[in-house]
Amino acid sequence: MASFVEWLDKFCISRHNAGMNYAHSTPHSPSYDRHMVSNAYIVQSYAKINLTLDVLGKRSDGYHELATVMQTVDLYDTLCFVATDEDRVSISCNQPELCNDENLVVRAAHAIRKRLNLTQGLLIELHKCIPVAAGLGGGSGNAAAVLQALQRWWQLPLDARELWSMAAELGSDVPFFLSGGLALCEGRGEKITPLELHWPLAMRWLLLIKPAIAVSTARVFRNLTVNDYSTGAESRTVQAALQSKSPLRPTDLHNSLERGVVEQYPEVAQARNAVLDAGADYVQLSGSGPTLFTSFSTLATASQVQQRLQTQGYEVYLTRPIHSGGDEIQFFS
Ligand code: C5P
């Protein structure tokens, strides 16, 4: 290990000092070569929605036992990693309030450096497009992107199990983003069962509506009552429907956190009504919110509803399901 680390440090620093141009590599680049480590590396980190989020009960470690069906969507942040010759990790971000050592991006990079005793310095440029503290997993996705990017860029000797365990330590949602796509997540969210990406044609366009407030996930979980707990049946129903390509009904979607969030945050209740009034069939909270989502079978209707909501001052993203690994989506009707 020592010789590998010495090689990595010397290699990256000498490349840096040689003043090489940025070389944009991607994980799927055909030119990606075992011995080729460039000075910069760019990846995208996608958002997610929760089709279901069943809270089964409270655990003795203070977390809650979950069953949730998550899907990555085509709304992403971009991370650019630049090798530096300082023995530290720094961050630059288009949202300056996120430039601190508590940012999951920095924590993930520190975790990798500590695990492998690396001294190679790093600047992470983070271009945020996913709303922050919004229930879309932006920060968790960023952390998973750092783990994966550094492993690929620096060709680190970490296997899938080690990456998963580092991801789980960083946050409950982080392991999901290592694979993305469609998955059932259980435990505190870290036990992932990847699902075939079958998606209803009638739900191919997604609108994400972000009320102008930030929500604390910890506070939302703290305010749950036993009446909010469920058996996980909703998640199993949605999983079975998607896997057998059966239609999904809006009533199959469920989020145990929604009651508390709607009660605590009037802005979310107002946004729910606005979405329904604008012509959506249903509206559902993603994660701990405050972002709501709904879906449409045509781009024309989705755009129309988006415009109506934007006219009322709402931040609305028109997006679609995506598999970050590049796998195709199989639509069914
Ligand atoms: O794991 P993560 O740090 O993302 O979780 C944020 C907070 O959400 C936790 O501190 C906890 O209060 C709550 N949480 C929970 N049960 C889960 C996941 C998160 O109570 N399964």
Side-chain angles (χ1 to χ4, degrees):
M1 176 58 60
S3 61
F4 169 78
V5 168
E6 277 164 22
W7 170 83
L8 175 67
D9 282 345
K10 279 190 195 138
F11 187 86
C12 293
I13 289 169
S14 68
R15 298 283 290 212
H16 179 72
N17 290 343
M20 303 272 302
N21 290 334
Y22 279 13
H24 295 229
S25 315
T26 69
H28 305 293
S29 163
S31 63
Y32 189 71
D33 179 272
R34 236 179 80 68
H35 303 291
M36 173 75 189
V37 176
S38 59
N39 258 18
Y41 192 82
I42 287 192
V43 292
Q44 289 170 342
S45 148
Y46 291 87
K48 58 83 181 159
I49 56 169
N50 301 73
L51 283 179
T52 60
L53 199 169
D54 293 317
V55 179
L56 312 189
K58 188 150 186 192
R59 305 163 22 144
S60 54
D61 62 4
Y63 282 89
H64 291 78
E65 192 69 13
L66 306 182
T68 172
V69 176
M70 302 212 271
Q71 169 67 55
T72 39
V73 297
D74 189 21
L75 168 65
Y76 57 85
D77 297 332
T78 302
L79 293 96
C80 181
F81 302 88
V82 184
T84 68
D85 50 11
E86 289 178 313
D87 178 9
R88 63 191 284 259
V89 178
S90 52
I91 178 171
S92 147
C93 182
N94 59 327
Q95 297 189 22
E97 67 277 17
L98 301 181
C99 291
N100 59 67
D101 287 352
E102 284 315 296
N103 191 309
L104 275 176
V105 156
V106 178
R107 287 173 50 202
H110 279 148
I112 290 260
R113 280 169 33 107
K114 193 167 164 210
R115 176 73 152 248
L116 295 173
N117 261 329
L118 302 178
T119 54
Q120 172 59 54
L122 196 61
L123 163 67
I124 306 175
E125 295 175 324
L126 171 61
H127 182 237
K128 283 301 286 183
C129 292
I130 305 172
V132 176
L136 297 172
S140 301
N142 292 170
V146 171
L147 298 180
Q148 257 172 346
L150 293 185
Q151 194 221 16
R152 286 172 176 159
W153 183 31
W154 287 344
Q155 299 152 28
L156 302 176
L158 293 167
D159 61 25
R161 181 87 209 161
E162 287 170 297
L163 273 188
W164 176 87
S165 109
M166 292 176 81
E169 258 177 56
L170 288 162
S172 307
D173 277 353
V174 182
F176 162 75
F177 287 100
L178 291 174
S179 46
L182 180 66
L184 172 71
C185 308
E186 295 171 290
R188 66 184 172 88
E190 86 287 19
K191 293 182 188 156
I192 316 297
T193 308
L195 304 174
E196 291 273 321
L197 215 177
H198 303 157
W199 194 262
L201 196 60
M203 290 175 66
R204 64 186 178 273
W205 295 106
L206 298 166
L207 280 192
L208 312 182
I209 304 94
K210 157 74 175 56
I213 50 166
V215 159
S216 149
T217 303
R219 182 170 166 210
V220 169
F221 273 100
R222 252 197 324 273
N223 287 332
L224 279 173
T225 69
V226 286
N227 294 332
D228 296 316
Y229 295 160
S230 63
T231 60
E234 288 89 346
S235 290
R236 284 193 296 276
T237 302
V238 166
Q239 176 191 7
L242 290 173
Q243 295 309 275
S244 62
K245 303 185 183 177
S246 311
L248 265 192
R249 291 160 305 183
T251 47
D252 293 332
L253 306 181
H254 172 258
N255 184 334
S256 298
L257 305 176
E258 185 156 338
R259 179 211 55 82
V261 171
V262 167
E263 272 178 28
Q264 256 178 285
Y265 300 94
E267 297 88 344
V268 178
Q270 278 161 18
R272 274 192 107 266
N273 293 337
V275 175
L276 295 172
D277 291 346
D281 290 340
Y282 74 95
V283 59
Q284 172 86 13
L285 189 75
S286 180
S288 55
T291 304
L292 299 159
F293 70 89
T294 184
S295 60
F296 298 91
S297 60
T298 67
L299 177 60
T301 325
S303 304
Q304 226 171 44
V305 173
Q306 179 184 31
Q307 274 166 23
R308 280 183 200 141
L309 290 165
Q310 282 173 335
T311 309
Q312 296 172 50
Y314 284 105
E315 188 179 327
V316 189
Y317 300 86
L318 174 53
T319 183
R320 63 187 174 88
I322 192 169
H323 197 292
S324 43
D327 292 355
E328 280 182 19
I329 301 177
Q330 294 179 37
F331 288 107
F332 64 91
S333 41

mmCIF file with all atom_site columns, all heavy atoms in Angstrom, residues 59 62-66 140 170-173 187-189 217-219 221-222, ligand 1:
data_model
loop_
_atom_site.group_PDB
_atom_site.id
_atom_site.type_symbol
_atom_site.label_atom_id
_atom_site.label_alt_id
_atom_site.label_comp_id
_atom_site.label_asym_id
_atom_site.label_entity_id
_atom_site.label_seq_id
_atom_site.pdbx_PDB_ins_code
_atom_site.Cartn_x
_atom_site.Cartn_y
_atom_site.Cartn_z
_atom_site.occupancy
_atom_site.B_iso_or_equiv
_atom_site.pdbx_formal_charge
_atom_site.auth_seq_id
_atom_site.auth_comp_id
_atom_site.auth_asym_id
_atom_site.auth_atom_id
_atom_site.pdbx_PDB_model_num
ATOM   1   N N   . ARG A 1 59  ? -35.772 3.163  15.706 1.00 0.00 ? 59  ARG A N   1
ATOM   2   C CA  . ARG A 1 59  ? -34.785 2.156  16.092 1.00 0.00 ? 59  ARG A CA  1
ATOM   3   C C   . ARG A 1 59  ? -34.082 2.570  17.370 1.00 0.00 ? 59  ARG A C   1
ATOM   4   O O   . ARG A 1 59  ? -34.140 3.721  17.776 1.00 0.00 ? 59  ARG A O   1
ATOM   5   C CB  . ARG A 1 59  ? -33.727 2.004  14.992 1.00 0.00 ? 59  ARG A CB  1
ATOM   6   C CG  . ARG A 1 59  ? -34.317 1.691  13.667 1.00 0.00 ? 59  ARG A CG  1
ATOM   7   C CD  . ARG A 1 59  ? -33.443 1.914  12.465 1.00 0.00 ? 59  ARG A CD  1
ATOM   8   N NE  . ARG A 1 59  ? -32.019 1.948  12.629 1.00 0.00 ? 59  ARG A NE  1
ATOM   9   C CZ  . ARG A 1 59  ? -31.159 1.458  11.719 1.00 0.00 ? 59  ARG A CZ  1
ATOM   10  N NH1 . ARG A 1 59  ? -31.624 0.871  10.620 1.00 0.00 ? 59  ARG A NH1 1
ATOM   11  N NH2 . ARG A 1 59  ? -29.869 1.552  11.896 1.00 0.00 ? 59  ARG A NH2 1
ATOM   12  N N   . GLY A 1 62  ? -31.700 5.594  17.343 1.00 0.00 ? 62  GLY A N   1
ATOM   13  C CA  . GLY A 1 62  ? -32.248 6.943  17.126 1.00 0.00 ? 62  GLY A CA  1
ATOM   14  C C   . GLY A 1 62  ? -32.717 7.164  15.694 1.00 0.00 ? 62  GLY A C   1
ATOM   15  O O   . GLY A 1 62  ? -33.479 8.089  15.429 1.00 0.00 ? 62  GLY A O   1
ATOM   16  N N   . TYR A 1 63  ? -32.218 6.342  14.770 1.00 0.00 ? 63  TYR A N   1
ATOM   17  C CA  . TYR A 1 63  ? -32.695 6.452  13.377 1.00 0.00 ? 63  TYR A CA  1
ATOM   18  C C   . TYR A 1 63  ? -34.045 5.758  13.242 1.00 0.00 ? 63  TYR A C   1
ATOM   19  O O   . TYR A 1 63  ? -34.520 5.102  14.172 1.00 0.00 ? 63  TYR A O   1
ATOM   20  C CB  . TYR A 1 63  ? -31.687 5.794  12.423 1.00 0.00 ? 63  TYR A CB  1
ATOM   21  C CG  . TYR A 1 63  ? -30.487 6.658  12.140 1.00 0.00 ? 63  TYR A CG  1
ATOM   22  C CD1 . TYR A 1 63  ? -29.358 6.592  12.967 1.00 0.00 ? 63  TYR A CD1 1
ATOM   23  C CD2 . TYR A 1 63  ? -30.468 7.529  11.065 1.00 0.00 ? 63  TYR A CD2 1
ATOM   24  C CE1 . TYR A 1 63  ? -28.248 7.389  12.714 1.00 0.00 ? 63  TYR A CE1 1
ATOM   25  C CE2 . TYR A 1 63  ? -29.361 8.333  10.798 1.00 0.00 ? 63  TYR A CE2 1
ATOM   26  C CZ  . TYR A 1 63  ? -28.264 8.253  11.627 1.00 0.00 ? 63  TYR A CZ  1
ATOM   27  O OH  . TYR A 1 63  ? -27.170 9.043  11.383 1.00 0.00 ? 63  TYR A OH  1
ATOM   28  N N   . HIS A 1 64  ? -34.653 5.890  12.066 1.00 0.00 ? 64  HIS A N   1
ATOM   29  C CA  . HIS A 1 64  ? -35.921 5.223  11.784 1.00 0.00 ? 64  HIS A CA  1
ATOM   30  C C   . HIS A 1 64  ? -35.728 4.145  10.734 1.00 0.00 ? 64  HIS A C   1
ATOM   31  O O   . HIS A 1 64  ? -34.907 4.301  9.816  1.00 0.00 ? 64  HIS A O   1
ATOM   32  C CB  . HIS A 1 64  ? -36.966 6.243  11.328 1.00 0.00 ? 64  HIS A CB  1
ATOM   33  C CG  . HIS A 1 64  ? -37.386 7.172  12.415 1.00 0.00 ? 64  HIS A CG  1
ATOM   34  N ND1 . HIS A 1 64  ? -36.613 8.247  12.812 1.00 0.00 ? 64  HIS A ND1 1
ATOM   35  C CD2 . HIS A 1 64  ? -38.490 7.172  13.214 1.00 0.00 ? 64  HIS A CD2 1
ATOM   36  C CE1 . HIS A 1 64  ? -37.221 8.875  13.814 1.00 0.00 ? 64  HIS A CE1 1
ATOM   37  N NE2 . HIS A 1 64  ? -38.361 8.248  14.075 1.00 0.00 ? 64  HIS A NE2 1
ATOM   38  N N   . GLU A 1 65  ? -36.468 3.070  10.878 1.00 0.00 ? 65  GLU A N   1
ATOM   39  C CA  . GLU A 1 65  ? -36.411 1.970  9.922  1.00 0.00 ? 65  GLU A CA  1
ATOM   40  C C   . GLU A 1 65  ? -37.286 2.354  8.728  1.00 0.00 ? 65  GLU A C   1
ATOM   41  O O   . GLU A 1 65  ? -38.440 2.757  8.905  1.00 0.00 ? 65  GLU A O   1
ATOM   42  C CB  . GLU A 1 65  ? -36.935 0.699  10.616 1.00 0.00 ? 65  GLU A CB  1
ATOM   43  C CG  . GLU A 1 65  ? -36.697 -0.582 9.880  1.00 0.00 ? 65  GLU A CG  1
ATOM   44  C CD  . GLU A 1 65  ? -35.212 -0.989 9.813  1.00 0.00 ? 65  GLU A CD  1
ATOM   45  O OE1 . GLU A 1 65  ? -34.377 -0.419 10.545 1.00 0.00 ? 65  GLU A OE1 1
ATOM   46  O OE2 . GLU A 1 65  ? -34.927 -1.870 8.992  1.00 0.00 ? 65  GLU A OE2 1
ATOM   47  N N   . LEU A 1 66  ? -36.720 2.272  7.524  1.00 0.00 ? 66  LEU A N   1
ATOM   48  C CA  . LEU A 1 66  ? -37.423 2.751  6.331  1.00 0.00 ? 66  LEU A CA  1
ATOM   49  C C   . LEU A 1 66  ? -37.625 1.657  5.293  1.00 0.00 ? 66  LEU A C   1
ATOM   50  O O   . LEU A 1 66  ? -36.881 0.676  5.246  1.00 0.00 ? 66  LEU A O   1
ATOM   51  C CB  . LEU A 1 66  ? -36.605 3.853  5.636  1.00 0.00 ? 66  LEU A CB  1
ATOM   52  C CG  . LEU A 1 66  ? -36.151 5.075  6.423  1.00 0.00 ? 66  LEU A CG  1
ATOM   53  C CD1 . LEU A 1 66  ? -35.396 6.023  5.494  1.00 0.00 ? 66  LEU A CD1 1
ATOM   54  C CD2 . LEU A 1 66  ? -37.335 5.784  7.050  1.00 0.00 ? 66  LEU A CD2 1
ATOM   55  N N   . SER A 1 140 ? -26.286 14.248 -0.592 1.00 0.00 ? 140 SER A N   1
ATOM   56  C CA  . SER A 1 140 ? -25.933 12.815 -0.544 1.00 0.00 ? 140 SER A CA  1
ATOM   57  C C   . SER A 1 140 ? -25.382 12.358 -1.885 1.00 0.00 ? 140 SER A C   1
ATOM   58  O O   . SER A 1 140 ? -24.397 11.615 -1.947 1.00 0.00 ? 140 SER A O   1
ATOM   59  C CB  . SER A 1 140 ? -27.172 11.974 -0.211 1.00 0.00 ? 140 SER A CB  1
ATOM   60  O OG  . SER A 1 140 ? -27.717 12.366 1.028  1.00 0.00 ? 140 SER A OG  1
ATOM   61  N N   . LEU A 1 170 ? -21.317 8.334  5.739  1.00 0.00 ? 170 LEU A N   1
ATOM   62  C CA  . LEU A 1 170 ? -21.525 9.757  5.413  1.00 0.00 ? 170 LEU A CA  1
ATOM   63  C C   . LEU A 1 170 ? -22.987 10.169 5.507  1.00 0.00 ? 170 LEU A C   1
ATOM   64  O O   . LEU A 1 170 ? -23.312 11.313 5.785  1.00 0.00 ? 170 LEU A O   1
ATOM   65  C CB  . LEU A 1 170 ? -20.983 10.053 4.015  1.00 0.00 ? 170 LEU A CB  1
ATOM   66  C CG  . LEU A 1 170 ? -19.448 10.052 3.909  1.00 0.00 ? 170 LEU A CG  1
ATOM   67  C CD1 . LEU A 1 170 ? -18.997 9.921  2.462  1.00 0.00 ? 170 LEU A CD1 1
ATOM   68  C CD2 . LEU A 1 170 ? -18.879 11.329 4.535  1.00 0.00 ? 170 LEU A CD2 1
ATOM   69  N N   . GLY A 1 171 ? -23.920 9.222  5.263  1.00 0.00 ? 171 GLY A N   1
ATOM   70  C CA  . GLY A 1 171 ? -25.345 9.570  5.356  1.00 0.00 ? 171 GLY A CA  1
ATOM   71  C C   . GLY A 1 171 ? -26.214 8.425  4.856  1.00 0.00 ? 171 GLY A C   1
ATOM   72  O O   . GLY A 1 171 ? -25.775 7.615  4.031  1.00 0.00 ? 171 GLY A O   1
ATOM   73  N N   . SER A 1 172 ? -27.445 8.378  5.343  1.00 0.00 ? 172 SER A N   1
ATOM   74  C CA  . SER A 1 172 ? -28.333 7.243  5.038  1.00 0.00 ? 172 SER A CA  1
ATOM   75  C C   . SER A 1 172 ? -28.635 7.105  3.551  1.00 0.00 ? 172 SER A C   1
ATOM   76  O O   . SER A 1 172 ? -28.830 6.003  3.046  1.00 0.00 ? 172 SER A O   1
ATOM   77  C CB  . SER A 1 172 ? -29.656 7.415  5.790  1.00 0.00 ? 172 SER A CB  1
ATOM   78  O OG  . SER A 1 172 ? -29.407 7.626  7.157  1.00 0.00 ? 172 SER A OG  1
ATOM   79  N N   . ASP A 1 173 ? -28.713 8.237  2.830  1.00 0.00 ? 173 ASP A N   1
ATOM   80  C CA  . ASP A 1 173 ? -29.077 8.198  1.403  1.00 0.00 ? 173 ASP A CA  1
ATOM   81  C C   . ASP A 1 173 ? -27.876 8.007  0.486  1.00 0.00 ? 173 ASP A C   1
ATOM   82  O O   . ASP A 1 173 ? -28.046 7.794  -0.714 1.00 0.00 ? 173 ASP A O   1
ATOM   83  C CB  . ASP A 1 173 ? -29.703 9.550  0.989  1.00 0.00 ? 173 ASP A CB  1
ATOM   84  C CG  . ASP A 1 173 ? -31.177 9.633  1.339  1.00 0.00 ? 173 ASP A CG  1
ATOM   85  O OD1 . ASP A 1 173 ? -31.744 8.610  1.767  1.00 0.00 ? 173 ASP A OD1 1
ATOM   86  O OD2 . ASP A 1 173 ? -31.759 10.722 1.164  1.00 0.00 ? 173 ASP A OD2 1
ATOM   87  N N   . GLY A 1 187 ? -33.611 -0.539 5.793  1.00 0.00 ? 187 GLY A N   1
ATOM   88  C CA  . GLY A 1 187 ? -32.762 -0.226 6.939  1.00 0.00 ? 187 GLY A CA  1
ATOM   89  C C   . GLY A 1 187 ? -32.955 1.254  7.243  1.00 0.00 ? 187 GLY A C   1
ATOM   90  O O   . GLY A 1 187 ? -34.066 1.764  7.225  1.00 0.00 ? 187 GLY A O   1
ATOM   91  N N   . ARG A 1 188 ? -31.830 1.972  7.478  1.00 0.00 ? 188 ARG A N   1
ATOM   92  C CA  . ARG A 1 188 ? -32.019 3.424  7.630  1.00 0.00 ? 188 ARG A CA  1
ATOM   93  C C   . ARG A 1 188 ? -31.951 4.115  6.280  1.00 0.00 ? 188 ARG A C   1
ATOM   94  O O   . ARG A 1 188 ? -31.961 5.335  6.178  1.00 0.00 ? 188 ARG A O   1
ATOM   95  C CB  . ARG A 1 188 ? -31.060 4.014  8.657  1.00 0.00 ? 188 ARG A CB  1
ATOM   96  C CG  . ARG A 1 188 ? -29.644 3.993  8.343  1.00 0.00 ? 188 ARG A CG  1
ATOM   97  C CD  . ARG A 1 188 ? -28.764 4.513  9.480  1.00 0.00 ? 188 ARG A CD  1
ATOM   98  N NE  . ARG A 1 188 ? -27.382 4.290  9.168  1.00 0.00 ? 188 ARG A NE  1
ATOM   99  C CZ  . ARG A 1 188 ? -26.630 5.146  8.486  1.00 0.00 ? 188 ARG A CZ  1
ATOM   100 N NH1 . ARG A 1 188 ? -27.111 6.303  8.098  1.00 0.00 ? 188 ARG A NH1 1
ATOM   101 N NH2 . ARG A 1 188 ? -25.388 4.838  8.214  1.00 0.00 ? 188 ARG A NH2 1
ATOM   102 N N   . GLY A 1 189 ? -31.904 3.317  5.213  1.00 0.00 ? 189 GLY A N   1
ATOM   103 C CA  . GLY A 1 189 ? -31.868 3.818  3.835  1.00 0.00 ? 189 GLY A CA  1
ATOM   104 C C   . GLY A 1 189 ? -30.678 3.262  3.080  1.00 0.00 ? 189 GLY A C   1
ATOM   105 O O   . GLY A 1 189 ? -30.552 3.440  1.870  1.00 0.00 ? 189 GLY A O   1
ATOM   106 N N   . THR A 1 217 ? -34.137 17.681 7.880  1.00 0.00 ? 217 THR A N   1
ATOM   107 C CA  . THR A 1 217 ? -34.556 16.267 7.885  1.00 0.00 ? 217 THR A CA  1
ATOM   108 C C   . THR A 1 217 ? -34.687 15.751 9.314  1.00 0.00 ? 217 THR A C   1
ATOM   109 O O   . THR A 1 217 ? -35.659 15.067 9.654  1.00 0.00 ? 217 THR A O   1
ATOM   110 C CB  . THR A 1 217 ? -33.516 15.415 7.115  1.00 0.00 ? 217 THR A CB  1
ATOM   111 O OG1 . THR A 1 217 ? -33.396 15.951 5.806  1.00 0.00 ? 217 THR A OG1 1
ATOM   112 C CG2 . THR A 1 217 ? -33.923 13.961 7.036  1.00 0.00 ? 217 THR A CG2 1
ATOM   113 N N   . ALA A 1 218 ? -33.713 16.106 10.157 1.00 0.00 ? 218 ALA A N   1
ATOM   114 C CA  . ALA A 1 218 ? -33.736 15.622 11.543 1.00 0.00 ? 218 ALA A CA  1
ATOM   115 C C   . ALA A 1 218 ? -35.015 16.095 12.241 1.00 0.00 ? 218 ALA A C   1
ATOM   116 O O   . ALA A 1 218 ? -35.677 15.331 12.949 1.00 0.00 ? 218 ALA A O   1
ATOM   117 C CB  . ALA A 1 218 ? -32.501 16.131 12.283 1.00 0.00 ? 218 ALA A CB  1
ATOM   118 N N   . ARG A 1 219 ? -35.392 17.342 12.013 1.00 0.00 ? 219 ARG A N   1
ATOM   119 C CA  . ARG A 1 219 ? -36.595 17.894 12.662 1.00 0.00 ? 219 ARG A CA  1
ATOM   120 C C   . ARG A 1 219 ? -37.852 17.167 12.169 1.00 0.00 ? 219 ARG A C   1
ATOM   121 O O   . ARG A 1 219 ? -38.753 16.856 12.957 1.00 0.00 ? 219 ARG A O   1
ATOM   122 C CB  . ARG A 1 219 ? -36.676 19.392 12.373 1.00 0.00 ? 219 ARG A CB  1
ATOM   123 C CG  . ARG A 1 219 ? -37.852 20.051 13.029 1.00 0.00 ? 219 ARG A CG  1
ATOM   124 C CD  . ARG A 1 219 ? -37.789 21.566 12.931 1.00 0.00 ? 219 ARG A CD  1
ATOM   125 N NE  . ARG A 1 219 ? -39.107 22.102 13.280 1.00 0.00 ? 219 ARG A NE  1
ATOM   126 C CZ  . ARG A 1 219 ? -39.598 23.224 12.798 1.00 0.00 ? 219 ARG A CZ  1
ATOM   127 N NH1 . ARG A 1 219 ? -38.889 23.952 11.949 1.00 0.00 ? 219 ARG A NH1 1
ATOM   128 N NH2 . ARG A 1 219 ? -40.792 23.640 13.151 1.00 0.00 ? 219 ARG A NH2 1
ATOM   129 N N   . PHE A 1 221 ? -38.095 14.092 11.059 1.00 0.00 ? 221 PHE A N   1
ATOM   130 C CA  . PHE A 1 221 ? -38.158 12.756 11.668 1.00 0.00 ? 221 PHE A CA  1
ATOM   131 C C   . PHE A 1 221 ? -38.550 12.856 13.142 1.00 0.00 ? 221 PHE A C   1
ATOM   132 O O   . PHE A 1 221 ? -39.290 12.028 13.659 1.00 0.00 ? 221 PHE A O   1
ATOM   133 C CB  . PHE A 1 221 ? -36.822 12.024 11.510 1.00 0.00 ? 221 PHE A CB  1
ATOM   134 C CG  . PHE A 1 221 ? -36.708 11.257 10.205 1.00 0.00 ? 221 PHE A CG  1
ATOM   135 C CD1 . PHE A 1 221 ? -36.011 11.782 9.134  1.00 0.00 ? 221 PHE A CD1 1
ATOM   136 C CD2 . PHE A 1 221 ? -37.321 10.023 10.045 1.00 0.00 ? 221 PHE A CD2 1
ATOM   137 C CE1 . PHE A 1 221 ? -35.911 11.087 7.932  1.00 0.00 ? 221 PHE A CE1 1
ATOM   138 C CE2 . PHE A 1 221 ? -37.231 9.317  8.847  1.00 0.00 ? 221 PHE A CE2 1
ATOM   139 C CZ  . PHE A 1 221 ? -36.526 9.843  7.780  1.00 0.00 ? 221 PHE A CZ  1
ATOM   140 N N   . ARG A 1 222 ? -38.036 13.893 13.824 1.00 0.00 ? 222 ARG A N   1
ATOM   141 C CA  . ARG A 1 222 ? -38.341 14.069 15.258 1.00 0.00 ? 222 ARG A CA  1
ATOM   142 C C   . ARG A 1 222 ? -39.833 14.273 15.479 1.00 0.00 ? 222 ARG A C   1
ATOM   143 O O   . ARG A 1 222 ? -40.382 13.858 16.496 1.00 0.00 ? 222 ARG A O   1
ATOM   144 C CB  . ARG A 1 222 ? -37.583 15.286 15.800 1.00 0.00 ? 222 ARG A CB  1
ATOM   145 C CG  . ARG A 1 222 ? -36.436 14.938 16.705 1.00 0.00 ? 222 ARG A CG  1
ATOM   146 C CD  . ARG A 1 222 ? -35.930 16.079 17.557 1.00 0.00 ? 222 ARG A CD  1
ATOM   147 N NE  . ARG A 1 222 ? -35.940 17.402 16.972 1.00 0.00 ? 222 ARG A NE  1
ATOM   148 C CZ  . ARG A 1 222 ? -34.961 17.915 16.229 1.00 0.00 ? 222 ARG A CZ  1
ATOM   149 N NH1 . ARG A 1 222 ? -33.884 17.202 15.952 1.00 0.00 ? 222 ARG A NH1 1
ATOM   150 N NH2 . ARG A 1 222 ? -35.050 19.136 15.756 1.00 0.00 ? 222 ARG A NH2 1
HETATM 151 O O1  . C5P B 2 .   ? -28.332 9.847  7.714  1.00 0.00 ? 1   C5P B O1  1
HETATM 152 P P1  . C5P B 2 .   ? -28.533 11.314 7.596  1.00 0.00 ? 1   C5P B P1  1
HETATM 153 O O2  . C5P B 2 .   ? -27.423 12.088 8.264  1.00 0.00 ? 1   C5P B O2  1
HETATM 154 O O3  . C5P B 2 .   ? -28.783 11.772 6.211  1.00 0.00 ? 1   C5P B O3  1
HETATM 155 O O4  . C5P B 2 .   ? -29.865 11.646 8.404  1.00 0.00 ? 1   C5P B O4  1
HETATM 156 C C1  . C5P B 2 .   ? -30.215 12.956 8.795  1.00 0.00 ? 1   C5P B C1  1
HETATM 157 C C2  . C5P B 2 .   ? -31.129 12.862 9.981  1.00 0.00 ? 1   C5P B C2  1
HETATM 158 O O5  . C5P B 2 .   ? -32.395 12.319 9.593  1.00 0.00 ? 1   C5P B O5  1
HETATM 159 C C3  . C5P B 2 .   ? -30.634 11.951 11.081 1.00 0.00 ? 1   C5P B C3  1
HETATM 160 O O6  . C5P B 2 .   ? -29.838 12.647 11.992 1.00 0.00 ? 1   C5P B O6  1
HETATM 161 C C4  . C5P B 2 .   ? -31.908 11.475 11.718 1.00 0.00 ? 1   C5P B C4  1
HETATM 162 O O7  . C5P B 2 .   ? -32.374 12.430 12.628 1.00 0.00 ? 1   C5P B O7  1
HETATM 163 C C5  . C5P B 2 .   ? -32.895 11.434 10.562 1.00 0.00 ? 1   C5P B C5  1
HETATM 164 N N1  . C5P B 2 .   ? -33.038 10.083 9.991  1.00 0.00 ? 1   C5P B N1  1
HETATM 165 C C6  . C5P B 2 .   ? -33.764 9.130  10.679 1.00 0.00 ? 1   C5P B C6  1
HETATM 166 N N2  . C5P B 2 .   ? -33.905 7.880  10.144 1.00 0.00 ? 1   C5P B N2  1
HETATM 167 C C7  . C5P B 2 .   ? -33.384 7.575  8.942  1.00 0.00 ? 1   C5P B C7  1
HETATM 168 C C8  . C5P B 2 .   ? -32.642 8.553  8.222  1.00 0.00 ? 1   C5P B C8  1
HETATM 169 C C9  . C5P B 2 .   ? -32.509 9.800  8.777  1.00 0.00 ? 1   C5P B C9  1
HETATM 170 O O8  . C5P B 2 .   ? -34.266 9.382  11.785 1.00 0.00 ? 1   C5P B O8  1
HETATM 171 N N3  . C5P B 2 .   ? -33.539 6.358  8.433  1.00 0.00 ? 1   C5P B N3  1
#
